[in-house]
Structure formats: structure tokens, C-alpha cells
């Protein structure tokens, strides 16, 4: 795929992006003609399982997942069998959608001589939904840095390259904008608190002065680390015992219990399965709350959300709190490609006064955040 030339801090040109999309658009009709014959998805992970539902919703027959994880071989996800790349059962489908984000080019090289139409799922999604994506860019983001960042993210999805993400990245995730730091009177909700790293940075950003912190984390190992960190921070910053509420739970659209996933995996790979399950799930279950029901009308001023693809679910469960208090929000929008559209549109409908900024915070395809605030 041909890319757009860029360097350093140069603004990514929307016209150049439009030209690239126009050049690539024939790929859409080329791969969609295979919908009824059957297609495969390379990558049965986080994005791939979502991609299967999306493709089936628009008429594609998904025949197989292809995944190199031997533990997934022979399993069935959403009614679709999973096979290894070297399996003799690799289907003779004409098109493979690559949903392994960090291995798109490797997969393209591995299958280059096997007569498949190969397309990254992210790239296909951008081409398929380009009008909506640029409508969000042009109608919701006004500052040059946000437009530059949004274009760079779309380019990364089209090119399967992180170069554009590296070119626009800024550090200080969640606190990069002046409106999100140094106010000293915050009621902070950390949704997806992990091991307390963002809570600690929040305390530093506000010099230990705030009204209250609510930290929600469903992972058991991560929650224990969060508790241990809070003991240290309370001593170092002389915090009052009741100033921080740590909750081992997730945030969703309604109260219930959900299955924990990746329980024994690396610390960065854990989360909740976005379906309700019973307590017999092999990974265990954990409470989930809607933020509205948990707070029961109490105010918040700042919500940070990084909840492994459940950001929209969280926002739906917090809509009364958002409408009433108009908190500033830093919401991750990198888990699903639809987040780039759905989250901003949903928030604007809740509170028309919100302003939006977009920033990229890592030299990878990920960690891009939409900042929402009222002046």
C-alpha cells in the first residue's frame, strides 16, 4: 500500500489522505465480491473476534479464523472454527482480512505467494466508513494537532505502519492538555485503574490536592498492586484515609457480573468479556456497575476510561452523570475502529457543549485518546 510522505511535526494533509483513499477504494469492491463465497480472518484475538461480527453484519460469510496460537486451534468463536496457519484445513477462500494489527505486513509476506486477496481489517474499515470518519474529524475537532493526529491514525490503519503514529505522539497520557492538569479540586474516576499508575500520575499532576478518587479495576493481581501502591502514596502525600475509594469491579452499562479474561496472562493483557456469564466461568467473574448506579447522584469532575473495548458500555452507564455534571473526560478510542466514530458522536449527543481534542500517546498503533471538556 502506498503511503503519504510526512516528517516530524508536519501537519498530515487531509487532501493527501483523500487522494490515498480514492486510490485504494477499488479494494473494497474487490474483496466484497467474495462475501458470499466465504472469507477468512487472520487473528482470533481482540480485534479479530469483533471483526467477525462486523463482517457478518454486512453480509460476509466468515469461514475460518486463522491464528498461530496453538491453544486456540480447534476452538470455535462466534460459530467460526479457528485453525493454525499451517493447517491442511486452511480454506480455499479468496480473501483474508488481517486483524492481527501488529503483524499485518508479516502476514502479507507469509501469504504473498498463495493467491489470496489480503487486506488489513483496519484498512478495510477506514475505506468502508471513510465518509463518517472524516465527518467526525471535520465536525468535532478544531485544533490543528487533533486533525493531524486523526489523519495520522487513519493513515496507520490504511498503511499498517506505525510511522505516522510515531510522528505525532505526545507523552503525558490523560494529562497532556492544560485543562486536564493542576485544578486541585477534582473528583476523579479512574476506569481501568490497572496497578494505580494513572492514579499516581493524577496525584502528582495535582500536587496531592483533590477532593476524591474512585479507582475501578477488575483484575485481581492488578487490584492487589493498586491497593499496595495506595498505601505507599497515602504515606508519601499524607492523604486522608477516606480520600481514595478503590473498587475491584468493572464499569458497564448496567449492574451485574462479567467474566474476567486473561486472568493468568501478562499484566497488560487482562479485561472483561463483554457478555454476561455465570459464576462457573473458568476464569472467574467480577462485579460490574453502571457509574450512575454506583455514584447515586454524587458529582464527578474528571473521568478517565481505558477499559479494554468497553468504553461505549461505560459511557452508556454514565450518561446521567455526564449530562448532569459535564465532567472532563479522557477516553481511549483505540480498541475498536468504530470507537473513532461512535464515542465522539455519543458524547456530543449527551452534552452538546463538549469540545474535543485527539492525541496519540505511544509510538505504536494504540494509546490514542479523545479528550472531552466544556469551557
Amino acid at each position: 500500500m502506498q503511503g503519504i510522505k510526512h516528517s516530524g511535526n508536519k501537519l498530515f494533509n487531509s487532501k493527501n489522505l483523500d487522494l490515498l483513499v480514492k486510490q485504494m477504494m477499488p479494494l473494497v469492491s474487490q474483496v466484497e465480491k467474495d462475501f458470499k463465497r466465504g472469507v477468512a480472518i487472520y487473528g482470533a484475538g481482540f480485534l479479530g473476534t469483533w471483526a467477525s461480527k462486523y463482517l457478518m453484519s454486512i453480509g460476509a460469510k466468515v469461514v475460518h479464523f486463522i491464528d498461530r496460537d496453538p491453544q486456540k486451534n480447534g476452538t470455535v468463536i462466534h460459530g467460526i472454527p479457528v485453525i493454525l496457519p499451517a493447517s491442511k484445513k486452511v480454506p480455499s477462500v479468496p480473501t483474508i482480512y488481517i486483524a492481527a494489527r501488529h503483524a499485518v505486513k508479516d502476514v502479507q509476506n507469509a501469504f504473498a505467494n498463495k493467491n489470496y486477496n489480503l487486506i488489513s481489517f483496519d484498512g478495510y474499515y477506514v475505506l468502508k466508513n471513510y465518509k463518517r470518519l472524516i465527518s467526525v474529524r471535520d465536525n468535532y475537532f478544531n485544533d490543528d494537532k487533533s486533525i493531524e493526529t486523526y489523519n495520522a491514525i487513519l493513515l496507520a490503519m490504511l498503511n499498517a505502519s506505525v510511522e505516522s503514529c510515531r510522528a505525532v505522539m505526545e507523552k503525558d497520557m490523560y494529562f497532556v492538555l492544560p485543562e486536564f492538569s493542576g485544578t486541585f479540586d477534582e473528583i476523579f474516576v479512574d476506569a481501568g485503574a490497572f496497578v494505580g499508575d494513572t492514579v499516581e500520575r493524577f496525584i502528582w499532576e495535582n500536587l496531592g490536592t483533590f477532593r476524591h478518587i474512585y479507582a475501578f479495576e477488575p483484575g485481581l493481581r492488578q487490584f492487589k498492586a493498586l491497593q499496595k501502591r495506595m498505601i505507599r502514596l497515602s504515606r508519601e502525600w499524607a492523604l486522608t484515609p477516606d480520600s481514595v475509594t478503590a473498587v475491584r469491579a468493572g464499569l458497564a452499562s448496567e449492574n451485574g457480573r462479567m467474566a474476567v479474561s486473561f486472568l493468568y496472562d501478562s499484566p497488560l493483557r487482562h479485561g472483561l468479556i463483554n457478555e454476561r456469564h455465570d459464576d462457573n466461568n473458568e476464569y472467574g467473574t467480577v462485579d460490574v456497575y453502571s457509574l450512575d448506579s454506583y455514584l447515586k447522584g454524587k458529582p464527578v469532575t474528571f473521568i478517565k476510561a481505558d477499559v479494554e473495548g468497553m468504553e461505549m458500555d461505560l459511557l452508556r452507564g454514565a450518561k446521567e452523570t455526564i449530562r448532569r455534571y459535564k465532567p472532563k473526560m479522557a477516553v481511549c478510542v483505540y480498541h475498536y475502529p468504530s470507537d473513532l466514530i461512535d464515542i465522539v458522536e455519543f458524547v456530543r449527543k449527551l452534552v452538546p457543549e463538549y469540545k474535543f481534542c485527539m492525541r496519540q500517546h505511544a509510538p505504536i498503533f494504540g494509546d490514542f485518546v479523545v479528550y472531552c471538556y466544556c469551557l
Side-chain angles (χ1 to χ4, degrees):
M1 295 181 181
Q2 184 179 358
I4 298 172
K5 293 181 180 180
H6 61 272
S7 62
N9 296 320
K10 182 180 178 181
L11 180 67
F12 287 89
N13 191 295
S14 298
K15 290 183 179 179
N16 286 346
L17 184 62
D18 289 343
L19 178 60
L20 176 61
V21 169
K22 184 177 180 180
Q23 293 169 349
M24 295 176 62
M25 197 61 76
L27 287 172
V28 174
S29 56
Q30 181 181 347
V31 297
E32 287 186 349
K33 69 179 177 16
D34 301 323
F35 271 10
K36 294 190 183 302
R37 295 174 59 190
V39 301
I41 297 173
Y42 192 103
F46 190 85
L47 177 63
T49 53
W50 187 89
S52 69
K53 292 190 288 186
Y54 176 80
L55 288 171
M56 288 189 289
S57 75
I58 58 174
K61 177 184 177 183
V62 181
V63 178
H64 280 284
F65 285 108
I66 303 170
D67 198 288
R68 59 187 178 183
D69 183 350
Q71 294 186 354
K72 293 179 182 177
N73 184 37
T75 61
V76 177
I77 302 173
H78 300 154
I80 305 165
V82 183
I83 59 175
L84 295 170
S87 172
K88 294 180 179 180
K89 297 180 180 179
V90 171
S92 57
V93 296
T95 296
I96 297 176
Y97 292 83
I98 306 170
R101 274 177 168 162
H102 304 297
V104 172
K105 292 185 177 178
D106 291 339
V107 176
Q108 288 173 335
N109 291 334
F111 285 84
N113 298 321
K114 297 184 179 180
N115 202 29
Y116 293 111
N117 291 321
L118 300 167
I119 187 168
S120 77
F121 176 75
D122 280 324
Y124 169 77
Y125 186 91
V126 171
L127 295 173
K128 183 72 175 176
N129 297 277
Y130 190 60
K131 288 184 179 180
R132 286 192 68 197
L133 286 161
I134 61 172
S135 175
V136 167
R137 180 197 67 195
D138 295 342
N139 291 302
Y140 292 84
F141 300 104
N142 296 315
D143 63 298
D144 285 348
K145 186 64 180 182
S146 292
I147 294 169
E148 175 187 27
T149 302
Y150 201 91
N151 286 344
I153 290 165
L154 295 185
L155 177 59
M157 296 169 77
L158 291 166
N159 275 356
S161 170
V162 300
E163 291 182 20
S164 56
C165 294
R166 293 173 65 90
V168 299
M169 73 162 284
E170 294 184 74
K171 293 187 177 181
D172 206 13
M173 189 170 180
Y174 308 125
F175 308 103
V176 66
L177 301 181
E179 292 84 0
F180 285 72
S181 180
T183 53
F184 310 124
D185 196 32
E186 301 283 18
I187 304 171
F188 180 55
V189 172
D190 189 348
F194 192 44
V195 295
D197 52 321
T198 303
V199 167
E200 179 160 6
R201 289 172 60 202
F202 169 82
I203 292 171
W204 275 95
E205 289 286 340
N206 294 282
L207 303 179
T209 305
F210 55 89
R211 288 168 63 189
H212 200 82
I213 295 172
Y214 298 94
F216 293 86
E217 171 53 48
L220 179 58
R221 290 169 55 202
Q222 295 77 16
F223 185 74
K224 288 181 177 179
L226 166 65
Q227 290 179 308
K228 186 174 182 179
R229 187 186 293 244
M230 289 315 309
I231 292 171
R232 172 177 62 81
L233 290 173
S234 294
R235 291 171 178 167
E236 291 176 353
W237 288 92
L239 303 179
T240 58
D242 60 349
S243 62
V244 179
T245 302
V247 188
R248 192 194 165 207
L251 290 173
S253 60
E254 59 186 33
N255 295 347
R257 290 184 69 80
M258 296 180 72
V260 179
S261 64
F262 304 117
L263 188 63
Y264 303 108
D265 210 329
S266 63
L268 288 174
R269 297 183 61 202
H270 74 287
L272 299 176
I273 298 173
N274 197 9
E275 297 172 2
R276 268 60 182 177
H277 290 259
D278 60 34
D279 287 330
N280 294 321
N281 181 277
E282 62 175 314
Y283 297 112
T285 59
V286 69
D287 288 330
V288 294
Y289 302 104
S290 74
L291 190 59
D292 287 341
S293 68
Y294 184 88
L295 292 173
K296 298 179 180 178
K298 294 178 182 177
V300 297
T301 65
F302 186 171
I303 298 174
K304 163 254 170 175
D306 184 0
V307 287
E308 303 305 314
M310 288 183 60
E311 285 78 10
M312 275 299 302
D313 218 24
L314 181 157
L315 293 170
R316 291 187 184 101
K319 59 185 180 181
E320 297 306 321
T321 299
I322 296 169
R323 283 192 185 116
R324 182 174 180 180
Y325 295 108
K326 302 177 179 60
K328 55 192 173 190
M329 297 190 290
V331 184
C332 289
V333 292
Y334 63 89
H335 294 100
Y336 301 127
S338 59
D339 289 344
L340 289 167
I341 299 170
D342 295 343
I343 285 176
V344 207
E345 290 182 342
F346 182 81
V347 171
R348 172 60 64 81
K349 287 179 182 178
L350 289 179
V351 181
E353 305 96 294
Y354 268 125
K355 307 295 181 185
F356 297 92
C357 290
M358 170 83 79
R359 296 293 186 269
Q360 165 79 33
H361 294 296
I364 59 173
F365 184 79
D367 287 359
F368 35 94
V369 176
V370 164
Y371 294 87
C372 320
Y373 61 96
C374 294
L375 297 176

